[in-house]
Coordinates of all heavy atoms in Angstrom, one line a residue:
M1 N 140.1 98.1 142.9 CA 138.8 97.5 142.7 C 138.3 97.6 141.3 O 138.2 98.7 140.8 CB 137.8 98.1 143.7 CG 136.4 97.8 143.5 SD 135.5 98.1 145.1 CE 134.5 99.5 144.6
T2 N 138.0 96.4 140.7 CA 137.5 96.4 139.3 C 136.0 96.2 139.2 O 135.5 95.4 140.0 CB 138.3 95.4 138.4 OG1 138.9 94.5 139.2 CG2 139.3 96.1 137.5
S3 N 135.4 96.9 138.4 CA 133.9 96.6 138.2 C 133.7 96.3 136.7 O 134.5 96.6 135.8 CB 133.2 97.9 138.5 OG 133.5 98.3 139.8
I4 N 132.6 95.5 136.5 CA 132.2 95.2 135.1 C 130.9 95.9 134.8 O 130.0 95.9 135.6 CB 132.0 93.6 135.0 CG1 133.3 92.9 135.5 CG2 131.6 93.2 133.6 CD1 134.4 93.0 134.5
C5 N 130.8 96.5 133.6 CA 129.6 97.1 133.2 C 128.5 96.1 133.1 O 128.6 95.1 132.4 CB 129.9 97.8 131.9 SG 128.3 98.6 131.2
P6 N 127.4 96.4 133.8 CA 126.2 95.4 133.7 C 125.5 95.5 132.4 O 124.7 94.7 132.1 CB 125.3 95.9 134.9 CG 125.7 97.3 135.1 CD 127.1 97.5 134.7
N7 N 125.8 96.6 131.6 CA 125.1 96.8 130.4 C 125.8 96.1 129.2 O 125.2 95.4 128.4 CB 125.0 98.3 130.1 CG 124.1 98.6 128.9 OD1 123.0 98.0 128.8 ND2 124.5 99.5 128.1
C8 N 127.1 96.2 129.1 CA 127.8 95.7 128.0 C 129.0 94.7 128.4 O 129.6 94.1 127.6 CB 128.4 96.8 127.1 SG 129.8 97.6 127.8
G9 N 129.2 94.6 129.7 CA 130.2 93.6 130.1 C 131.7 94.1 130.1 O 132.6 93.4 130.4
S10 N 131.9 95.4 129.7 CA 133.2 95.9 129.6 C 133.8 96.1 130.9 O 133.1 96.4 131.9 CB 133.2 97.2 128.8 OG 134.4 97.9 128.9
A11 N 135.1 96.0 131.0 CA 135.8 96.2 132.3 C 136.4 97.6 132.4 O 136.9 98.0 133.4 CB 137.0 95.2 132.5
E12 N 136.2 98.4 131.3 CA 136.6 99.8 131.3 C 135.7 100.7 132.0 O 134.9 101.4 131.4 CB 136.9 100.2 129.9 CG 138.1 99.6 129.2 CD 138.6 100.3 128.0 OE1 138.6 101.6 128.1 OE2 138.9 99.7 127.0
V13 N 135.7 100.6 133.3 CA 134.7 101.3 134.1 C 135.4 102.4 134.9 O 136.5 102.1 135.6 CB 133.9 100.4 135.1 CG1 133.1 101.1 136.1 CG2 133.1 99.4 134.2
L14 N 135.0 103.6 134.9 CA 135.6 104.7 135.6 C 134.8 105.1 136.8 O 133.6 105.0 136.9 CB 135.7 105.9 134.7 CG 136.3 105.7 133.3 CD1 136.1 106.9 132.4 CD2 137.8 105.3 133.4
L15 N 135.6 105.6 137.8 CA 134.9 106.2 139.0 C 134.4 107.6 138.6 O 135.1 108.3 137.9 CB 135.9 106.4 140.1 CG 136.3 105.1 140.9 CD1 137.5 105.3 141.8 CD2 135.1 104.7 141.8
R16 N 133.3 108.0 139.0 CA 132.7 109.3 138.6 C 133.0 110.4 139.6 O 133.3 111.5 139.2 CB 131.2 109.2 138.4 CG 130.9 108.2 137.3 CD 129.4 108.1 137.1 NE 128.9 109.2 136.2 CZ 127.7 109.8 136.3 NH1 126.9 109.4 137.2 NH2 127.4 110.7 135.5
H17 N 132.9 110.2 140.9 CA 133.1 111.2 141.9 C 132.3 112.4 141.7 O 132.7 113.5 142.0 CB 134.6 111.6 142.0 CG 135.5 110.5 142.5 ND1 135.1 109.8 143.6 CD2 136.7 110.0 142.1 CE1 136.1 108.9 143.8 NE2 137.0 109.0 142.9
Q18 N 131.1 112.2 141.1 CA 130.3 113.4 140.8 C 129.9 114.1 142.1 O 130.0 115.3 142.2 CB 129.0 112.9 140.1 CG 128.4 113.9 139.2 CD 127.2 113.3 138.4 OE1 126.5 112.5 138.9 NE2 127.1 113.8 137.2
G19 N 129.4 113.4 143.1 CA 128.9 114.0 144.3 C 130.1 114.7 145.0 O 129.8 115.8 145.5
R20 N 131.3 114.2 145.0 CA 132.4 114.8 145.6 C 132.7 116.1 145.0 O 132.9 117.1 145.7 CB 133.6 113.9 145.6 CG 134.7 114.4 146.6 CD 135.7 113.3 146.8 NE 136.6 113.1 145.7 CZ 137.5 112.2 145.6 NH1 137.7 111.4 146.6 NH2 138.3 112.1 144.6
K21 N 132.7 116.2 143.7 CA 133.0 117.4 143.0 C 132.0 118.5 143.3 O 132.3 119.6 143.7 CB 133.0 117.2 141.4 CG 134.3 116.7 140.9 CD 134.2 116.5 139.4 CE 135.0 115.4 138.9 NZ 134.6 114.8 137.6
V22 N 130.7 118.1 143.2 CA 129.6 119.1 143.4 C 129.6 119.6 144.9 O 129.6 120.8 145.2 CB 128.2 118.5 143.1 CG1 127.1 119.4 143.5 CG2 128.2 118.2 141.6
C23 N 129.7 118.6 145.8 CA 129.6 119.0 147.2 C 130.9 119.8 147.7 O 130.8 120.6 148.5 CB 129.5 117.7 148.1 SG 127.9 117.0 148.0
S24 N 132.0 119.4 147.1 CA 133.2 120.2 147.4 C 133.1 121.6 147.0 O 133.4 122.5 147.8 CB 134.4 119.5 146.7 OG 135.6 120.3 146.8
S25 N 132.6 121.9 145.8 CA 132.4 123.2 145.3 C 131.4 124.0 146.2 O 131.6 125.1 146.6 CB 131.9 123.3 143.9 OG 132.8 122.5 143.1
A26 N 130.3 123.3 146.5 CA 129.2 123.9 147.3 C 129.8 124.2 148.7 O 129.5 125.2 149.3 CB 128.0 123.0 147.4
G27 N 130.6 123.2 149.2 CA 131.2 123.4 150.5 C 132.1 124.6 150.6 O 132.1 125.4 151.5
I28 N 132.9 124.8 149.5 CA 133.8 125.9 149.5 C 133.0 127.2 149.4 O 133.3 128.2 150.1 CB 134.7 125.8 148.2 CG1 135.7 124.7 148.4 CG2 135.5 127.2 148.0 CD1 136.6 124.4 147.2
A29 N 131.9 127.3 148.6 CA 131.1 128.5 148.5 C 130.5 128.8 149.9 O 130.5 129.9 150.4 CB 130.0 128.3 147.5
A30 N 129.9 127.7 150.5 CA 129.2 127.9 151.8 C 130.2 128.3 152.8 O 130.0 129.2 153.7 CB 128.5 126.7 152.2
G31 N 131.4 127.6 152.8 CA 132.4 127.9 153.8 C 133.0 129.3 153.6 O 133.2 130.0 154.6
S32 N 133.1 129.8 152.4 CA 133.6 131.1 152.1 C 132.6 132.1 152.6 O 133.0 133.2 153.2 CB 133.9 131.3 150.7 OG 134.9 130.5 150.2
A33 N 131.3 131.9 152.4 CA 130.3 132.8 152.9 C 130.4 132.8 154.4 O 130.3 133.9 155.0 CB 128.9 132.3 152.4
G34 N 130.4 131.7 155.0 CA 130.6 131.6 156.5 C 131.8 132.3 156.9 O 131.9 133.0 157.9
G35 N 132.9 132.1 156.2 CA 134.2 132.7 156.5 C 134.1 134.2 156.3 O 134.7 134.9 157.1
A36 N 133.4 134.7 155.3 CA 133.3 136.1 155.2 C 132.6 136.7 156.3 O 132.9 137.8 156.8 CB 132.5 136.4 153.9
A37 N 131.5 136.0 156.9 CA 130.9 136.5 158.1 C 131.8 136.5 159.2 O 131.9 137.5 160.0 CB 129.6 135.6 158.4
G38 N 132.6 135.4 159.3 CA 133.6 135.3 160.4 C 134.7 136.3 160.2 O 135.4 136.7 161.1
A39 N 134.9 136.7 158.9 CA 136.0 137.7 158.6 C 135.8 139.0 159.3 O 136.8 139.7 159.6 CB 136.1 137.9 157.1
W40 N 134.5 139.4 159.5 CA 134.3 140.7 160.1 C 134.8 140.6 161.6 O 135.5 141.6 162.0 CB 132.8 141.0 160.1 CG 132.4 142.2 160.9 CD1 131.6 142.3 161.9 CD2 132.9 143.5 160.6 NE1 131.6 143.6 162.3 CE2 132.3 144.4 161.5 CE3 133.8 144.1 159.6 CZ2 132.6 145.8 161.6 CZ3 134.0 145.4 159.6 CH2 133.4 146.3 160.6
S41 N 134.5 139.6 162.3 CA 135.1 139.5 163.6 C 136.6 139.3 163.6 O 137.3 139.8 164.4 CB 134.4 138.4 164.4 OG 134.6 137.1 163.8
G42 N 137.1 138.6 162.5 CA 138.5 138.5 162.4 C 139.2 139.9 162.1 O 140.2 140.2 162.7
A43 N 138.5 140.7 161.3 CA 139.0 142.0 161.0 C 139.0 142.9 162.3 O 140.0 143.6 162.6 CB 138.1 142.7 160.0
Q44 N 138.0 142.7 163.1 CA 137.9 143.5 164.4 C 139.0 143.0 165.3 O 139.7 143.9 165.9 CB 136.6 143.3 165.0 CG 135.5 144.1 164.3 CD 134.1 143.8 164.9 OE1 133.8 142.7 165.3 NE2 133.3 144.9 165.1
T45 N 139.2 141.7 165.4 CA 140.3 141.2 166.2 C 141.7 141.7 165.7 O 142.5 142.1 166.5 CB 140.3 139.7 166.2 OG1 139.0 139.2 166.5 CG2 141.3 139.1 167.2
G46 N 141.8 141.6 164.4 CA 143.1 142.0 163.8 C 143.3 143.5 164.1 O 144.5 143.9 164.4
A47 N 142.3 144.3 164.0 CA 142.4 145.7 164.2 C 142.8 146.0 165.7 O 143.6 146.9 166.0 CB 141.1 146.4 163.9
L48 N 142.1 145.3 166.6 CA 142.4 145.4 168.0 C 143.9 145.1 168.3 O 144.6 145.8 169.0 CB 141.5 144.5 168.8 CG 140.1 145.1 169.3 CD1 139.3 144.1 170.0 CD2 140.4 146.4 170.2
L49 N 144.3 144.0 167.8 CA 145.6 143.5 168.1 C 146.7 144.4 167.6 O 147.8 144.5 168.1 CB 145.8 142.1 167.4 CG 145.1 140.9 168.1 CD1 145.3 139.6 167.3 CD2 145.7 140.7 169.6
T50 N 146.4 145.1 166.4 CA 147.4 145.9 165.8 C 147.1 147.4 166.0 O 147.8 148.3 165.5 CB 147.5 145.7 164.3 OG1 146.2 145.7 163.8 CG2 148.1 144.3 164.1
A51 N 146.1 147.8 166.9 CA 145.7 149.2 167.1 C 146.9 150.0 167.6 O 147.0 151.2 167.3 CB 144.6 149.2 168.0
W52 N 147.8 149.4 168.4 CA 148.8 150.2 169.0 C 149.9 150.7 168.0 O 150.6 151.6 168.3 CB 149.6 149.4 170.1 CG 150.1 148.1 169.6 CD1 149.5 146.9 169.4 CD2 151.5 147.9 169.1 NE1 150.4 146.0 168.9 CE2 151.6 146.5 168.7 CE3 152.6 148.7 169.0 CZ2 152.7 146.0 168.1 CZ3 153.8 148.2 168.5 CH2 153.8 146.8 168.0
T53 N 149.8 150.1 166.8 CA 150.8 150.5 165.7 C 150.3 151.6 164.9 O 150.9 152.1 164.0 CB 151.1 149.3 164.8 OG1 149.9 148.8 164.2 CG2 151.8 148.2 165.5
G54 N 149.0 152.1 165.2 CA 148.5 153.3 164.5 C 147.6 152.8 163.3 O 147.3 151.7 163.2
P55 N 147.1 153.8 162.5 CA 146.2 153.6 161.5 C 146.6 152.5 160.5 O 145.8 151.7 160.0 CB 146.0 154.9 160.8 CG 146.5 155.9 161.8 CD 147.5 155.2 162.6
V56 N 147.9 152.5 160.1 CA 148.4 151.5 159.1 C 148.3 150.1 159.7 O 147.8 149.2 159.0 CB 149.9 151.8 158.7 CG1 150.4 150.8 157.8 CG2 150.0 153.2 158.1
G57 N 148.6 150.0 161.0 CA 148.5 148.7 161.6 C 147.1 148.2 161.7 O 146.8 147.1 161.5
I58 N 146.2 149.2 162.0 CA 144.8 148.8 162.0 C 144.3 148.3 160.7 O 143.6 147.2 160.6 CB 143.9 150.0 162.5 CG1 144.2 150.3 163.9 CG2 142.4 149.7 162.3 CD1 143.5 151.6 164.5
T59 N 144.7 149.0 159.6 CA 144.3 148.6 158.2 C 144.8 147.2 157.9 O 144.1 146.3 157.5 CB 144.7 149.6 157.2 OG1 144.3 150.9 157.6 CG2 144.2 149.3 155.8
V60 N 146.1 147.0 158.1 CA 146.8 145.7 157.8 C 146.2 144.6 158.7 O 145.9 143.5 158.2 CB 148.3 145.8 158.1 CG1 149.0 144.5 157.9 CG2 148.9 146.8 157.1
G61 N 146.0 144.9 159.9 CA 145.4 143.9 160.8 C 144.0 143.5 160.4 O 143.6 142.3 160.4
S62 N 143.2 144.5 160.0 CA 141.8 144.2 159.6 C 141.8 143.3 158.3 O 141.1 142.3 158.2 CB 141.1 145.5 159.3 OG 141.1 146.3 160.4
L63 N 142.7 143.7 157.4 CA 142.7 143.0 156.1 C 143.2 141.5 156.4 O 142.6 140.6 155.8 CB 143.7 143.7 155.1 CG 143.2 144.8 154.4 CD1 144.3 145.5 153.5 CD2 142.0 144.4 153.4
A64 N 144.2 141.4 157.2 CA 144.7 140.1 157.4 C 143.7 139.2 158.1 O 143.5 138.0 157.8 CB 146.0 140.1 158.3
G65 N 143.0 139.8 159.1 CA 141.9 139.1 159.8 C 140.8 138.7 158.8 O 140.3 137.5 158.9
A66 N 140.4 139.6 157.9 CA 139.3 139.3 157.0 C 139.7 138.2 156.0 O 139.0 137.2 155.8 CB 138.9 140.5 156.2
V67 N 140.9 138.3 155.4 CA 141.4 137.3 154.5 C 141.5 136.0 155.1 O 141.1 134.9 154.6 CB 142.8 137.8 153.9 CG1 143.4 136.6 153.1 CG2 142.6 139.0 153.0
F68 N 142.1 135.9 156.3 CA 142.3 134.7 157.0 C 140.9 134.0 157.3 O 140.7 132.8 157.2 CB 143.0 134.9 158.3 CG 143.3 133.6 159.1 CD1 144.3 132.8 158.6 CD2 142.5 133.3 160.1 CE1 144.5 131.6 159.3 CE2 142.7 132.1 160.8 CZ 143.8 131.2 160.4
G69 N 139.9 134.8 157.7 CA 138.6 134.3 158.0 C 138.0 133.7 156.8 O 137.4 132.5 156.9
A70 N 138.1 134.3 155.7 CA 137.4 133.8 154.5 C 138.2 132.5 154.0 O 137.5 131.6 153.6 CB 137.5 134.9 153.4
L71 N 139.5 132.6 154.0 CA 140.3 131.4 153.6 C 140.0 130.2 154.5 O 139.8 129.1 154.0 CB 141.8 131.7 153.6 CG 142.3 132.6 152.4 CD1 143.8 132.8 152.6 CD2 142.0 131.9 151.1
A72 N 140.0 130.4 155.8 CA 139.8 129.3 156.7 C 138.4 128.7 156.5 O 138.2 127.5 156.5 CB 140.0 129.8 158.1
G73 N 137.5 129.6 156.3 CA 136.1 129.2 156.1 C 136.0 128.4 154.8 O 135.3 127.3 154.8
G74 N 136.6 128.8 153.8 CA 136.5 128.2 152.5 C 137.2 126.8 152.5 O 136.6 125.8 152.0
A75 N 138.3 126.7 153.1 CA 139.0 125.4 153.2 C 138.3 124.4 154.1 O 138.1 123.3 153.7 CB 140.4 125.7 153.8
A76 N 137.7 124.9 155.2 CA 137.0 124.0 156.0 C 135.7 123.5 155.3 O 135.4 122.3 155.4 CB 136.6 124.7 157.4
G77 N 135.0 124.4 154.7 CA 133.8 124.1 153.9 C 134.1 123.1 152.8 O 133.4 122.1 152.6
G78 N 135.2 123.3 152.1 CA 135.5 122.5 151.0 C 135.8 121.0 151.5 O 135.4 120.1 150.9
M79 N 136.6 120.9 152.6 CA 136.9 119.6 153.1 C 135.6 118.9 153.6 O 135.5 117.7 153.3 CB 137.9 119.8 154.3 CG 139.3 119.9 153.8 SD 140.4 120.5 155.1 CE 140.2 119.2 156.4
T80 N 134.8 119.6 154.3 CA 133.5 119.0 154.7 C 132.7 118.6 153.5 O 132.2 117.5 153.5 CB 132.7 120.0 155.6 OG1 133.6 120.6 156.6 CG2 131.5 119.4 156.2
G81 N 132.6 119.4 152.5 CA 131.8 119.1 151.3 C 132.4 117.9 150.6 O 131.6 117.0 150.2
A82 N 133.7 117.8 150.5 CA 134.3 116.7 149.8 C 134.0 115.4 150.5 O 133.7 114.3 149.9 CB 135.8 116.9 149.7
R83 N 134.0 115.4 151.9 CA 133.7 114.2 152.7 C 132.3 113.8 152.5 O 132.0 112.6 152.3 CB 134.0 114.6 154.1 CG 134.4 113.3 154.9 CD 134.8 113.7 156.3 NE 136.0 114.5 156.3 CZ 136.3 115.5 157.2 NH1 135.4 115.7 158.2 NH2 137.4 116.1 157.1
I84 N 131.4 114.8 152.5 CA 129.9 114.5 152.3 C 129.7 113.9 150.9 O 129.0 112.9 150.7 CB 129.1 115.7 152.6 CG1 129.2 116.1 154.0 CG2 127.6 115.5 152.2 CD1 128.6 117.5 154.3
G85 N 130.4 114.6 149.9 CA 130.2 114.1 148.5 C 130.7 112.7 148.3 O 130.1 111.9 147.6
S86 N 131.9 112.3 149.0 CA 132.4 111.0 148.8 C 131.4 110.0 149.4 O 131.2 108.9 148.8 CB 133.7 110.9 149.6 OG 134.7 111.6 149.0
E87 N 130.8 110.3 150.5 CA 129.7 109.4 151.1 C 128.6 109.3 150.1 O 128.1 108.2 149.9 CB 129.2 110.0 152.4 CG 130.2 110.0 153.5 CD 130.4 108.6 154.1 OE1 129.4 108.0 154.5 OE2 131.5 108.1 154.0
L88 N 128.2 110.4 149.5 CA 127.1 110.4 148.5 C 127.5 109.5 147.4 O 126.7 108.7 146.9 CB 126.8 111.8 148.0 CG 125.8 112.6 148.8 CD1 125.7 114.0 148.2 CD2 124.4 112.0 148.8
D89 N 128.7 109.6 146.9 CA 129.2 108.8 145.7 C 129.1 107.3 146.1 O 128.6 106.5 145.2 CB 130.6 109.1 145.4 CG 130.8 110.4 144.6 OD1 129.8 110.7 143.9 OD2 131.8 111.1 144.7
E90 N 129.5 107.0 147.3 CA 129.5 105.6 147.6 C 128.1 105.0 147.9 O 127.8 103.8 147.7 CB 130.4 105.3 148.9 CG 131.9 105.5 148.6 CD 132.4 104.5 147.5 OE1 131.9 103.4 147.4 OE2 133.3 104.9 146.8
R91 N 127.3 105.8 148.5 CA 126.0 105.3 149.0 C 124.8 105.6 148.2 O 123.8 104.9 148.3 CB 125.8 105.8 150.5 CG 126.8 105.2 151.4 CD 126.8 106.1 152.7 NE 128.0 105.9 153.5 CZ 128.2 104.9 154.3 NH1 127.2 104.1 154.6 NH2 129.4 104.8 155.0
V92 N 124.8 106.7 147.5 CA 123.5 107.2 146.9 C 123.6 107.2 145.3 O 122.8 106.7 144.7 CB 123.1 108.6 147.4 CG1 121.8 109.0 146.8 CG2 123.1 108.5 148.9
L93 N 124.7 107.9 144.8 CA 124.7 108.1 143.4 C 125.2 107.0 142.6 O 125.8 106.1 143.1 CB 125.6 109.4 143.2 CG 125.2 110.6 143.9 CD1 126.3 111.7 143.7 CD2 123.9 111.1 143.3
D94 N 125.0 107.0 141.3 CA 125.6 106.1 140.4 C 127.1 106.5 140.3 O 127.5 107.6 139.8 CB 125.1 106.3 138.9 CG 123.7 105.7 138.9 OD1 123.3 104.9 139.7 OD2 123.0 106.1 137.9
N95 N 128.0 105.7 140.9 CA 129.4 106.1 141.1 C 130.3 105.5 140.1 O 131.5 105.6 140.2 CB 129.8 105.9 142.5 CG 129.7 104.4 142.9 OD1 129.3 103.6 142.1 ND2 129.9 104.1 144.2
R96 N 129.8 104.7 139.1 CA 130.7 104.1 138.1 C 130.1 104.5 136.7 O 128.9 104.6 136.5 CB 130.7 102.6 138.2 CG 131.3 102.1 139.5 CD 132.8 102.3 139.6 NE 133.3 101.7 140.8 CZ 133.2 102.1 142.0 NH1 132.6 103.2 142.3 NH2 133.8 101.4 143.0
E97 N 131.0 104.7 135.8 CA 130.6 105.0 134.4 C 131.4 104.1 133.5 O 132.6 104.0 133.5 CB 130.9 106.5 134.1 CG 130.4 106.8 132.6 CD 130.5 108.3 132.4 OE1 130.9 109.1 133.3 OE2 130.3 108.7 131.2
C98 N 130.7 103.4 132.6 CA 131.3 102.6 131.6 C 132.0 103.4 130.5 O 131.3 104.2 129.9 CB 130.3 101.6 131.0 SG 131.0 100.6 129.7
H99 N 133.3 103.1 130.3 CA 134.0 103.9 129.2 C 133.6 103.4 127.8 O 133.7 104.2 126.9 CB 135.5 103.7 129.4 CG 136.3 104.7 128.7 ND1 136.2 106.1 128.9 CD2 137.3 104.6 127.8 CE1 137.0 106.7 128.2 NE2 137.7 105.8 127.5
A100 N 133.1 102.2 127.7 CA 132.8 101.6 126.4 C 131.4 102.1 125.9 O 131.2 102.5 124.8 CB 132.8 100.1 126.5
C101 N 130.4 102.1 126.8 CA 129.0 102.4 126.3 C 128.4 103.6 127.0 O 127.3 104.0 126.7 CB 128.1 101.1 126.5 SG 127.7 100.8 128.2
G102 N 129.1 104.1 128.1 CA 128.5 105.3 128.7 C 127.5 105.1 129.8 O 127.0 106.0 130.4
H103 N 127.2 103.8 130.0 CA 126.2 103.4 131.0 C 126.7 103.8 132.4 O 127.9 103.6 132.7 CB 126.0 101.9 130.9 CG 124.9 101.4 131.9 ND1 123.6 101.8 131.8 CD2 125.0 100.6 133.0 CE1 122.9 101.2 132.8 NE2 123.8 100.4 133.5
T104 N 125.9 104.4 133.2 CA 126.3 104.7 134.6 C 125.5 103.8 135.6 O 124.4 103.4 135.3 CB 126.0 106.1 135.0 OG1 124.6 106.4 134.8 CG2 126.8 107.1 134.1
F105 N 126.2 103.3 136.6 CA 125.6 102.4 137.5 C 126.3 102.6 138.9 O 127.2 103.3 139.1 CB 125.7 101.0 137.1 CG 127.1 100.5 136.8 CD1 127.8 99.7 137.7 CD2 127.7 100.9 135.6 CE1 129.1 99.3 137.4 CE2 129.0 100.5 135.3 CZ 129.7 99.6 136.2
R106 N 125.7 101.9 139.9 CA 126.2 102.0 141.2 C 126.8 100.7 141.7 O 126.3 99.7 141.5 CB 125.1 102.4 142.1 CG 125.5 102.8 143.6 CD 124.4 103.6 144.2 NE 123.3 102.8 144.7 CZ 123.2 102.4 145.9 NH1 124.1 102.7 146.8 NH2 122.2 101.7 146.3
V107 N 128.0 100.9 142.4 CA 128.6 99.7 143.0 C 128.6 100.0 144.5 O 129.1 101.0 145.0 CB 130.0 99.5 142.5 CG1 130.7 98.4 143.3 CG2 130.0 99.2 141.0
E108 N 128.1 99.1 145.3 CA 128.0 99.2 146.7 C 129.4 99.2 147.3 O 130.2 98.3 146.9 CB 127.2 98.1 147.4 CG 125.7 98.2 147.0 CD 125.0 99.2 147.9 OE1 125.5 99.7 148.8 OE2 123.8 99.5 147.5
A109 N 129.7 100.1 148.2 CA 131.0 100.0 148.9 C 131.0 98.7 149.8 O 129.9 98.3 150.3 CB 131.2 101.2 149.8
I110 N 132.1 98.0 149.8 CA 132.2 96.8 150.6 C 132.0 97.1 152.1 O 132.8 97.9 152.6 CB 133.5 96.0 150.3 CG1 133.6 95.7 148.8 CG2 133.6 94.8 151.2 CD1 135.1 95.4 148.4
P111 N 131.0 96.6 152.7 CA 130.8 96.9 154.1 C 131.9 96.4 155.0 O 132.5 95.3 154.7 CB 129.5 96.2 154.5 CG 129.3 95.1 153.5 CD 130.1 95.6 152.2
P112 N 132.2 97.1 156.1 CA 133.3 96.6 157.0 C 132.9 95.3 157.6 O 131.7 95.0 157.8 CB 133.4 97.7 158.0 CG 132.1 98.4 157.9 CD 131.6 98.3 156.5
K113 N 133.9 94.5 157.9 CA 133.7 93.1 158.4 C 132.9 93.3 159.8 O 133.3 94.1 160.6 CB 135.0 92.4 158.6 CG 135.4 91.7 157.3 CD 136.7 91.0 157.6 CE 137.3 90.4 156.3 NZ 138.7 90.0 156.4
S114 N 131.9 92.4 159.9 CA 131.2 92.4 161.2 C 132.1 91.9 162.3 O 132.9 91.0 162.1 CB 130.0 91.6 161.1 OG 129.4 91.4 162.3
S115 N 132.0 92.5 163.5 CA 132.8 92.1 164.6 C 132.2 90.9 165.4 O 132.8 90.4 166.3 CB 133.0 93.3 165.6 OG 131.8 93.7 166.0
L116 N 131.0 90.5 164.9 CA 130.3 89.4 165.6 C 131.0 88.0 165.3 O 131.2 87.6 164.3 CB 128.9 89.3 165.2 CG 128.1 90.5 165.8 CD1 126.7 90.5 165.2 CD2 128.0 90.4 167.3
Ligands
ZN1 ZN1 129.2 99.4 129.2

């Protein structure tokens, strides 16, 4: 899809993806925080599952559970954030930047064809 800068008429227009970048980072942070909270229950589960192997097993199980909880939370949060950010880019933010003059503007996403 090509866009023309409404300010100077140049065709050298770039996609910005500003919302996606910001929301993706925020999502990873929020997801990791949520994952860290979930990591505690993951650690407990890991410790329970490996309790029969003794103190070493409990430690390894707890660590694995905690790490997995944080990673899973961060990944899920990042994906959710990127999706929200893409929506923001398309619908709310100035999502195009002119390479020639630096002007930023918004291009509406083409709406899906009506089924009527
Ligand atoms: Zn321009």
Side-chain angles (χ1 to χ4, degrees):
M1 167 159 110
T2 18
S3 306
I4 303 290
C5 174
N7 191 41
C8 72
S10 168
E12 289 199 41
V13 171
L14 309 171
L15 284 168
R16 296 181 85 212
H17 290 316
Q18 203 175 39
R20 193 165 71 184
K21 276 180 211 157
V22 171
C23 288
S24 169
S25 310
I28 289 170
S32 297
W40 176 240
S41 58
Q44 288 176 315
T45 309
L48 270 176
L49 286 175
T50 50
W52 59 275
T53 56
V56 176
I58 292 175
T59 309
V60 171
S62 303
L63 278 175
V67 168
F68 182 78
L71 282 180
M79 278 165 60
T80 309
R83 204 172 299 147
I84 294 170
S86 293
E87 289 287 303
L88 273 178
D89 280 332
E90 289 300 329
R91 291 164 201 272
V92 182
L93 301 173
D94 290 342
N95 56 8
R96 299 290 190 281
E97 180 173 0
C98 175
H99 196 58
C101 72
H103 181 66
T104 57
F105 56 102
R106 186 157 80 95
V107 173
E108 293 280 350
I110 300 162
K113 278 182 186 166
S114 170
S115 57
L116 291 171

